[in-house]
Amino acid sequence: MAATSPIYIILLGAPGAGKGTQARLLAEKLSIPQVASGDLFRENLGNNTPLGLLAKGYIDRGELVPDDVTIRMVQERLHRSDAVRGAILDGFPRTIAQAEALARVLAQADRRIACVPYIRVSEKSLLARLSGRWICPICQTTYHVLYSPPKVSGICDKDGSILYQRPDDTEETARNRLQVYFQQTAPLIEYYRGKGLLVEVDGEQSIEAVQGALDDVVAQHVARLAL
Ligand code: ADP
Ligand code: AMP
């Protein structure tokens, strides 16, 4: 998949749709970083930075962190040297204001979004995925107790760390996050469809099948970037 232009791919989908799982695989394949706004907030939280402390209340309640701080954080991340060839955006943008800010940042650098795969998953599956999700605190690899279990229960396959469940994956907070998604983020589906960038991917399939579908979509759109 050779392309000279930087590649920006936005993975769109509800919490639990599989964005992080697929972003990691795509990032590895394309040798560009996964930029996950939720991971950036959790990193700040873990380091007790002012940004982390500000974000904590919103994350605990399952609400969105205000646009201005979120945009600044992602913009700063995209300007780091490892993102010079592009990025897989996971969890950002989540509002129309964020999408417009991203468009301005990319336009200023004469860069374009390659495509916006929308990973479509039913609400019932989303809740089942969130409630069974376990994460490695060190390498952030995501497991599922039923759908993608580690080889040894509770232990990361890659680095042997003890896996944890996110506090905002409890049923009550997860339901709130889904509501927030339907109100504030789902409008981005039509926003990007209107720009001719949206490609729907059936997210109910196995992780491997979703990966295969995404690889095909991305290959087509990356080839177009080079034209
Ligand atoms: P998101 O980043 O969109 O919130 P994740 O990638 O963290 O979602 O996936 C949520 C949970 O669902 C994780 O436990 C993950 O292992 C599992 N998962 C991801 N994709 C699939 C899939 N296609 N089928 C079944 N489970 C999946
Ligand atoms: P995620 O890891 O993507 O599920 O995000 C976890 C939490 O971080 C969300 O519930 C929000 O509180 C916050 N967050 C992550 N990304 C964004 C974003 N783009 N805009 C606002 N808040 C966000």
mmCIF file of all heavy atoms in Angstrom, residues 37-38 41-42 58-59 63-65 70 91-92 94 98 166 168 177, ligand 2:
data_model
loop_
_atom_site.group_PDB
_atom_site.id
_atom_site.type_symbol
_atom_site.label_atom_id
_atom_site.label_comp_id
_atom_site.label_asym_id
_atom_site.label_seq_id
_atom_site.Cartn_x
_atom_site.Cartn_y
_atom_site.Cartn_z
ATOM 1 N N SER A 37 -8.208 9.601 21.338
ATOM 2 C CA SER A 37 -8.390 10.695 22.311
ATOM 3 C C SER A 37 -8.658 10.144 23.709
ATOM 4 O O SER A 37 -8.155 10.688 24.692
ATOM 5 C CB SER A 37 -9.506 11.637 21.847
ATOM 6 O OG SER A 37 -10.586 10.922 21.313
ATOM 7 N N GLY A 38 -9.410 9.042 23.807
ATOM 8 C CA GLY A 38 -9.677 8.462 25.124
ATOM 9 C C GLY A 38 -8.382 8.002 25.800
ATOM 10 O O GLY A 38 -8.176 8.224 26.999
ATOM 11 N N PHE A 41 -6.533 11.047 27.079
ATOM 12 C CA PHE A 41 -7.104 11.530 28.348
ATOM 13 C C PHE A 41 -6.699 10.615 29.505
ATOM 14 O O PHE A 41 -6.319 11.092 30.575
ATOM 15 C CB PHE A 41 -8.637 11.603 28.260
ATOM 16 C CG PHE A 41 -9.146 12.804 27.516
ATOM 17 C CD1 PHE A 41 -10.063 12.668 26.485
ATOM 18 C CD2 PHE A 41 -8.711 14.090 27.853
ATOM 19 C CE1 PHE A 41 -10.534 13.771 25.798
ATOM 20 C CE2 PHE A 41 -9.183 15.200 27.168
ATOM 21 C CZ PHE A 41 -10.095 15.040 26.135
ATOM 22 N N ARG A 42 -6.772 9.299 29.288
ATOM 23 C CA ARG A 42 -6.437 8.365 30.386
ATOM 24 C C ARG A 42 -4.957 8.477 30.749
ATOM 25 O O ARG A 42 -4.609 8.352 31.921
ATOM 26 C CB ARG A 42 -6.813 6.924 30.003
ATOM 27 C CG ARG A 42 -8.315 6.634 30.177
ATOM 28 C CD ARG A 42 -8.664 5.189 29.899
ATOM 29 N NE ARG A 42 -8.523 4.862 28.488
ATOM 30 C CZ ARG A 42 -9.459 5.089 27.564
ATOM 31 N NH1 ARG A 42 -10.616 5.612 27.905
ATOM 32 N NH2 ARG A 42 -9.248 4.784 26.309
ATOM 33 N N TYR A 58 -15.759 14.394 33.579
ATOM 34 C CA TYR A 58 -16.519 14.103 32.352
ATOM 35 C C TYR A 58 -16.438 12.617 32.025
ATOM 36 O O TYR A 58 -17.443 11.977 31.698
ATOM 37 C CB TYR A 58 -15.969 14.917 31.167
ATOM 38 C CG TYR A 58 -16.121 16.408 31.342
ATOM 39 C CD1 TYR A 58 -15.064 17.179 31.806
ATOM 40 C CD2 TYR A 58 -17.335 17.042 31.061
ATOM 41 C CE1 TYR A 58 -15.201 18.555 31.970
ATOM 42 C CE2 TYR A 58 -17.478 18.412 31.230
ATOM 43 C CZ TYR A 58 -16.408 19.163 31.685
ATOM 44 O OH TYR A 58 -16.541 20.511 31.857
ATOM 45 N N ILE A 59 -15.225 12.056 32.117
ATOM 46 C CA ILE A 59 -15.049 10.633 31.778
ATOM 47 C C ILE A 59 -15.833 9.768 32.761
ATOM 48 O O ILE A 59 -16.539 8.843 32.353
ATOM 49 C CB ILE A 59 -13.541 10.267 31.795
ATOM 50 C CG1 ILE A 59 -12.813 11.039 30.691
ATOM 51 C CG2 ILE A 59 -13.335 8.756 31.638
ATOM 52 C CD1 ILE A 59 -11.309 10.858 30.681
ATOM 53 N N GLU A 63 -19.604 11.601 29.970
ATOM 54 C CA GLU A 63 -19.897 12.759 29.111
ATOM 55 C C GLU A 63 -18.679 13.104 28.263
ATOM 56 O O GLU A 63 -17.576 12.644 28.552
ATOM 57 C CB GLU A 63 -20.238 13.982 29.988
ATOM 58 C CG GLU A 63 -21.504 13.796 30.790
ATOM 59 C CD GLU A 63 -21.659 14.889 31.854
ATOM 60 O OE1 GLU A 63 -20.863 15.828 31.890
ATOM 61 O OE2 GLU A 63 -22.603 14.735 32.649
ATOM 62 N N LEU A 64 -18.889 13.965 27.293
ATOM 63 C CA LEU A 64 -17.757 14.396 26.467
ATOM 64 C C LEU A 64 -16.974 15.503 27.177
ATOM 65 O O LEU A 64 -17.567 16.385 27.810
ATOM 66 C CB LEU A 64 -18.238 14.919 25.110
ATOM 67 C CG LEU A 64 -18.898 13.897 24.183
ATOM 68 C CD1 LEU A 64 -19.163 14.536 22.814
ATOM 69 C CD2 LEU A 64 -18.042 12.651 24.023
ATOM 70 N N VAL A 65 -15.676 15.464 27.059
ATOM 71 C CA VAL A 65 -14.811 16.535 27.542
ATOM 72 C C VAL A 65 -15.047 17.724 26.591
ATOM 73 O O VAL A 65 -15.258 17.515 25.381
ATOM 74 C CB VAL A 65 -13.336 16.068 27.519
ATOM 75 C CG1 VAL A 65 -12.412 17.168 28.015
ATOM 76 C CG2 VAL A 65 -13.167 14.792 28.360
ATOM 77 N N THR A 70 -10.232 19.308 24.091
ATOM 78 C CA THR A 70 -10.050 18.062 23.322
ATOM 79 C C THR A 70 -9.348 18.367 21.997
ATOM 80 O O THR A 70 -8.400 17.672 21.603
ATOM 81 C CB THR A 70 -11.422 17.400 23.052
ATOM 82 O OG1 THR A 70 -12.078 17.205 24.302
ATOM 83 C CG2 THR A 70 -11.276 16.077 22.342
ATOM 84 N N GLY A 91 -11.871 7.691 18.088
ATOM 85 C CA GLY A 91 -12.581 8.409 19.164
ATOM 86 C C GLY A 91 -12.561 9.916 18.977
ATOM 87 O O GLY A 91 -13.096 10.642 19.809
ATOM 88 N N PHE A 92 -11.968 10.387 17.939
ATOM 89 C CA PHE A 92 -11.938 11.806 17.577
ATOM 90 C C PHE A 92 -12.088 11.910 16.070
ATOM 91 O O PHE A 92 -11.403 11.169 15.369
ATOM 92 C CB PHE A 92 -10.612 12.458 18.019
ATOM 93 C CG PHE A 92 -10.552 13.938 17.712
ATOM 94 C CD1 PHE A 92 -10.921 14.863 18.669
ATOM 95 C CD2 PHE A 92 -10.147 14.387 16.457
ATOM 96 C CE1 PHE A 92 -10.882 16.220 18.386
ATOM 97 C CE2 PHE A 92 -10.119 15.750 16.163
ATOM 98 C CZ PHE A 92 -10.486 16.664 17.132
ATOM 99 N N ARG A 94 -15.678 13.694 17.778
ATOM 100 C CA ARG A 94 -16.909 13.164 18.368
ATOM 101 C C ARG A 94 -18.031 14.192 18.308
ATOM 102 O O ARG A 94 -19.141 13.898 18.764
ATOM 103 C CB ARG A 94 -16.650 12.814 19.816
ATOM 104 C CG ARG A 94 -16.480 11.308 20.101
ATOM 105 C CD ARG A 94 -16.150 11.200 21.564
ATOM 106 N NE ARG A 94 -16.389 9.951 22.209
ATOM 107 C CZ ARG A 94 -15.459 9.034 22.425
ATOM 108 N NH1 ARG A 94 -14.262 9.156 21.931
ATOM 109 N NH2 ARG A 94 -15.755 7.971 23.148
ATOM 110 N N GLN A 98 -15.651 19.477 16.552
ATOM 111 C CA GLN A 98 -14.331 18.817 16.486
ATOM 112 C C GLN A 98 -13.992 18.471 15.036
ATOM 113 O O GLN A 98 -12.841 18.599 14.601
ATOM 114 C CB GLN A 98 -14.318 17.554 17.349
ATOM 115 C CG GLN A 98 -14.392 17.833 18.847
ATOM 116 C CD GLN A 98 -14.386 16.556 19.687
ATOM 117 O OE1 GLN A 98 -14.067 15.472 19.204
ATOM 118 N NE2 GLN A 98 -14.753 16.681 20.946
ATOM 119 N N ARG A 166 -12.271 -0.882 32.571
ATOM 120 C CA ARG A 166 -12.408 0.569 32.699
ATOM 121 C C ARG A 166 -13.579 0.895 33.617
ATOM 122 O O ARG A 166 -14.652 0.310 33.476
ATOM 123 C CB ARG A 166 -12.649 1.178 31.309
ATOM 124 C CG ARG A 166 -11.363 1.447 30.570
ATOM 125 C CD ARG A 166 -11.579 1.850 29.150
ATOM 126 N NE ARG A 166 -12.580 2.884 28.926
ATOM 127 C CZ ARG A 166 -12.845 3.415 27.744
ATOM 128 N NH1 ARG A 166 -12.184 2.992 26.669
ATOM 129 N NH2 ARG A 166 -13.765 4.338 27.617
ATOM 130 N N ASP A 168 -15.492 3.305 33.479
ATOM 131 C CA ASP A 168 -16.649 3.813 32.730
ATOM 132 C C ASP A 168 -17.280 2.742 31.840
ATOM 133 O O ASP A 168 -18.156 3.042 31.035
ATOM 134 C CB ASP A 168 -16.278 5.074 31.918
ATOM 135 C CG ASP A 168 -15.153 4.845 30.913
ATOM 136 O OD1 ASP A 168 -14.441 3.820 31.014
ATOM 137 O OD2 ASP A 168 -14.989 5.691 30.018
ATOM 138 N N ARG A 177 -22.948 6.700 27.996
ATOM 139 C CA ARG A 177 -22.027 6.993 26.889
ATOM 140 C C ARG A 177 -22.701 6.731 25.547
ATOM 141 O O ARG A 177 -22.470 7.451 24.571
ATOM 142 C CB ARG A 177 -20.753 6.153 27.034
ATOM 143 C CG ARG A 177 -19.846 6.720 28.138
ATOM 144 C CD ARG A 177 -18.842 5.709 28.627
ATOM 145 N NE ARG A 177 -17.955 5.252 27.596
ATOM 146 C CZ ARG A 177 -17.423 4.036 27.553
ATOM 147 N NH1 ARG A 177 -17.690 3.146 28.495
ATOM 148 N NH2 ARG A 177 -16.625 3.705 26.586
HETATM 149 P P1 AMP B 2 -13.031 6.311 24.696
HETATM 150 O O1 AMP B 2 -11.762 5.734 25.226
HETATM 151 O O2 AMP B 2 -12.952 6.733 23.269
HETATM 152 O O3 AMP B 2 -14.224 5.426 24.984
HETATM 153 O O4 AMP B 2 -13.261 7.662 25.524
HETATM 154 C C1 AMP B 2 -13.389 7.658 26.932
HETATM 155 C C2 AMP B 2 -13.918 9.004 27.413
HETATM 156 O O5 AMP B 2 -12.971 10.040 27.118
HETATM 157 C C3 AMP B 2 -15.217 9.479 26.780
HETATM 158 O O6 AMP B 2 -16.376 8.922 27.404
HETATM 159 C C4 AMP B 2 -15.122 10.998 26.986
HETATM 160 O O7 AMP B 2 -15.394 11.357 28.319
HETATM 161 C C5 AMP B 2 -13.637 11.242 26.742
HETATM 162 N N1 AMP B 2 -13.351 11.490 25.304
HETATM 163 C C6 AMP B 2 -12.625 10.700 24.463
HETATM 164 N N2 AMP B 2 -12.571 11.236 23.236
HETATM 165 C C7 AMP B 2 -13.280 12.389 23.282
HETATM 166 C C8 AMP B 2 -13.616 13.383 22.319
HETATM 167 N N3 AMP B 2 -13.200 13.303 21.045
HETATM 168 N N4 AMP B 2 -14.377 14.435 22.725
HETATM 169 C C9 AMP B 2 -14.772 14.541 23.999
HETATM 170 N N5 AMP B 2 -14.529 13.645 24.957
HETATM 171 C C10 AMP B 2 -13.788 12.557 24.608
#
